[in-house]
Amino acid sequence: MSETGTDTTRSSEARQRQARAMEISGWGERFHFVQPHNLCFWVFVVLTGIGAFQVWAYFAPKTGLYADAFAISAVLCGLCGLAWFAWFRHIDRWERQPGRLILAALLWGAIPATFAFALTANNAMISIYNKLLGQVWSANWAAGATAPITEEAAKLCGFILLMSLAPRLIRTANDGLIVGAFIGLGFAIFEDFLYAANSTAQAFGTDPVDHAVQMSFTRIAVSFVSHPLFSALVCTGVIYILGTAAQPRRIGRGVAFVLVGMFLHFTWDDAGGLGRGGILTFPVMLGSIVLGFTVLTIAFRRAAPREYQFVRDILAPEVEAGTVTDAEVDGILDKKARKAFIKSAPHHKSRRARKHLRRAILDLAHDLAHDKGSDTEAVRHSRSEVERLRVKAG
């Protein structure tokens, strides 16, 4: 075979890898929320409407009395939520989920999961516990005996609906981590606001603003171990349990992640009971933090190889054409290769350029997926940006 024929064959194989990766992964797919022919869309809309009515029914009678406290609580909890939102978008580094899908996830966590499901179920269960087991038992254990089931189930219902509305976008364990975290974030923001609002009413109008501020900051202080962590683990576990075109089924792993997410929710809510209400409470909370972030790190590491392969396959034609090199792709995906690539730069400006080069190569992969591998203006711009930064990197 001639050299030209060999090059053509290689190019064809690279293109096939790229097309297959985009087909399986769903990279570059758009999300359309309004799907009148999809029953899941109407279930989502109806439950959101029920949740919105519950919000109005819960807060309307109190708003006139505690308007200032509610407004301050909303601002503080909202600012905390924005900070976490920015961080979650930052770690969604492979194929970023479409903004509309993220907004739908936040909406589900904030309205239907919190007010249409969890609030009603939690109040009913705690009332039963008070009658059957007494108020002392309920004070120590009712939250942990209820919330890990009712609240995680409420958030998971939304995740299943979103999987049905976006079956080509929510396919990998990494997608479960990210979308689950945003559902949990919506839940956490409104739950924090609910706690702050309740603190004003429970004080019978005595300095409502001060009570709202104190409770808001208390909730914000512990927000790093909260619903985003719990639901990220539960939702990625469900992806493993169900299996998808892009994620092979791993039932044992999936069940483990779901159970750990629920267990962390239990230990966090019942830290006082587990610590016997004394000095052991802090070690219990610290243990929950360590376990939670250890398992989350494991979850991201287990999810990463699938995303790595998609990046390699989508960039395969660009590597073959010399637009990017294998070493540069390794610098995106492999931690050791990344450090070595940046460290080998001759000076500080080169190191900065190499960091930006990594981002530019990943942007090129995103543009290629978005435009289905076509040679569009966006793709050509990304290629020129890669070349410009490579020159600066030295």
Side-chain angles (χ1 to χ4, degrees), residues 45-62:
V45 170
V46 169
L47 291 174
T48 301
I50 293 172
F53 176 79
Q54 295 279 59
V55 172
W56 177 82
Y58 190 89
F59 288 109
K62 306 173 186 178

Side-chain angles (χ1 to χ4, degrees), residues 79-388:
L79 289 173
C80 178
L82 283 173
W84 282 114
F85 178 89
W87 174 247
F88 293 159
R89 288 300 270 176
H90 171 71
I91 63 175
D92 186 13
R93 64 183 62 184
W94 304 121
E95 171 60 351
R96 280 195 168 187
Q97 297 294 347
R100 291 178 183 176
L101 178 57
I102 295 304
L103 289 177
L106 288 167
L107 177 63
W108 178 269
I111 304 298
T114 308
F115 290 94
F117 285 91
L119 185 63
T120 303
N122 287 349
N123 288 339
M125 291 301 298
I126 290 173
S127 177
I128 292 172
Y129 289 143
N130 282 334
K131 293 175 182 177
L132 293 180
L133 301 171
Q135 293 187 352
V136 174
W137 186 94
S138 293
N140 288 326
W141 302 106
T146 304
I149 300 171
T150 58
E151 294 177 3
E152 295 311 319
K155 291 180 287 183
L156 183 57
C157 286
F159 182 70
I160 298 298
L161 288 175
L162 289 175
M163 283 187 71
S164 301
L165 290 170
R168 289 180 55 77
L169 285 165
I170 306 177
R171 284 192 163 187
T172 65
N174 191 77
D175 296 334
L177 287 166
I178 297 300
V179 177
F182 278 110
I183 292 174
L185 179 61
F187 194 103
I189 293 170
F190 265 66
E191 185 183 62
D192 291 350
F193 174 70
L194 186 61
Y195 269 85
N198 285 341
S199 71
T200 64
Q202 290 167 0
F204 303 104
T206 304
D207 202 357
V209 172
D210 184 60
H211 281 89
V213 170
Q214 286 185 26
M215 181 56 70
S216 296
F217 277 114
T218 299
R219 299 291 298 184
I220 289 169
V222 297
S223 62
F224 55 91
V225 179
S226 185
H227 292 282
L229 171 61
F230 309 146
S231 56
L233 294 176
V234 170
C235 291
T236 199
V238 168
I239 290 284
Y240 281 120
I241 292 170
L242 297 177
T244 69
Q247 190 68 63
R249 182 176 293 172
R250 298 287 186 271
I251 295 177
R253 182 185 298 178
V255 170
F257 281 130
V258 170
L259 292 178
V260 171
M262 295 176 68
F263 177 73
L264 288 168
H265 199 155
F266 161 72
T267 58
W268 194 251
D269 281 4
D270 277 355
L274 291 168
R276 300 179 181 273
I279 60 173
L280 293 178
T281 299
F282 178 73
V284 170
M285 296 177 71
L286 182 61
S288 295
I289 294 170
V290 173
L291 176 62
F293 283 97
T294 299
V295 175
L296 185 64
T297 301
I298 292 171
F300 271 109
R301 287 180 178 175
R302 291 288 184 270
R306 200 69 181 127
E307 304 296 333
Y308 291 175
Q309 191 58 54
F310 292 145
V311 173
R312 292 187 188 280
D313 290 345
I314 290 170
L315 289 173
E318 303 299 315
V319 172
E320 201 166 77
T323 306
V324 297
T325 67
D326 283 319
E328 289 169 343
V329 176
D330 287 341
I332 297 174
L333 308 177
D334 184 81
K335 189 175 181 180
K336 289 182 179 178
R338 178 166 66 249
K339 287 183 177 179
F341 179 65
I342 294 173
K343 269 187 163 183
S344 63
H347 47 75
H348 177 67
K349 288 185 177 180
S350 295
R351 283 194 291 273
R352 286 188 60 188
R354 290 189 180 192
K355 289 179 181 179
H356 290 307
L357 177 60
R358 291 178 50 248
R359 181 71 252 180
I361 293 172
L362 197 52
D363 287 343
L364 174 59
H366 292 160
D367 288 334
L368 286 165
H370 185 271
D371 295 325
K372 305 302 180 186
S374 300
D375 188 29
T376 63
E377 181 62 33
V379 170
R380 289 193 292 272
H381 178 268
S382 290
R383 287 179 183 141
S384 64
E385 187 68 6
V386 169
E387 182 59 34
R388 182 184 70 82

